[in-house]
Amino acid sequence: MITLSPTQLATLQRHAETCYPNEACALIVGRSDANAKIVDEVVIVENAWQSDMGHSQRDRYLIAPRDIARVDRAASQRGLDLIGVFHSHPDHPSQPSATDLAQAWPEMSYLIAAVYAGRFTTLQSWVLQDEVFVEEALRSHEP
Ligand SMILES: [Zn+2]
């Protein structure tokens, strides 16, 4: 299970809507043990996908390695970890694509928001299990 606050949830929803029709990205910082992940901070990062790599930001995202390194370092200094990656699916369901699966790292939560016609609809979290994505329960309440 992954738990985030209503404010963090609202931040992700708003960011997904603001970036529409492009994919939005964020890094998720928090704490985790065997059963639960608690989100401490949602860090908005830019979608660094360049069209000359093929496709476009409407159906691809890239988080720059320097952003990952910066956020990971800042988290470590606070005794926290990078526990997840958020991105949005403009006009597609909040389920991972084949591309998402190919890029996934073990132990990370992949939070995906569906945004249809510029409006947020659903947010789901996914984790790798035996090289396939399984849905992870996602809760939103005050800490
Ligand atoms: Zn995706």
Side-chain angles (χ1 to χ4, degrees), residues 4-72:
L4 69 175
S5 73
T7 304
Q8 291 161 345
L9 179 63
T11 298
L12 293 177
Q13 292 177 352
R14 199 169 47 241
H15 182 50
E17 291 182 346
T18 301
C19 292
Y20 182 91
N22 292 336
E23 293 196 10
C25 322
L27 292 169
I28 310 294
V29 169
R31 287 162 283 177
S32 57
D33 62 30
N35 302 310
K37 296 172 181 159
I38 309 288
V39 177
D40 276 85
E41 192 184 3
V42 162
V43 184
I44 301 292
V45 291
E46 108 178 278
N47 184 347
W49 186 269
Q50 302 290 327
S51 296
D52 60 13
M53 297 188 281
H55 288 273
S56 77
Q57 291 190 6
R58 288 176 180 236
D59 61 359
R60 289 290 186 279
Y61 78 97
L62 175 70
I63 299 177
R66 68 171 180 280
D67 282 337
I68 295 172
R70 172 175 56 84
V71 172
D72 189 42

Side-chain angles (χ1 to χ4, degrees), residues 90-136:
D91 300 315
H92 285 280
S94 49
Q95 286 152 7
S97 66
T99 306
D100 293 332
L101 181 61
Q103 294 173 345
W105 302 341
E107 291 172 32
M108 295 285 272
S109 291
Y110 286 87
L111 279 67
I112 303 178
V115 185
Y116 287 91
R119 299 296 290 243
F120 167 85
T121 56
T122 53
L123 178 69
Q124 289 176 277
S125 184
W126 305 87
V127 287
L128 272 185
Q129 211 166 76
D130 298 328
E131 297 180 26
V132 295
F133 270 121
V134 295
E135 188 171 3
E136 173 181 48

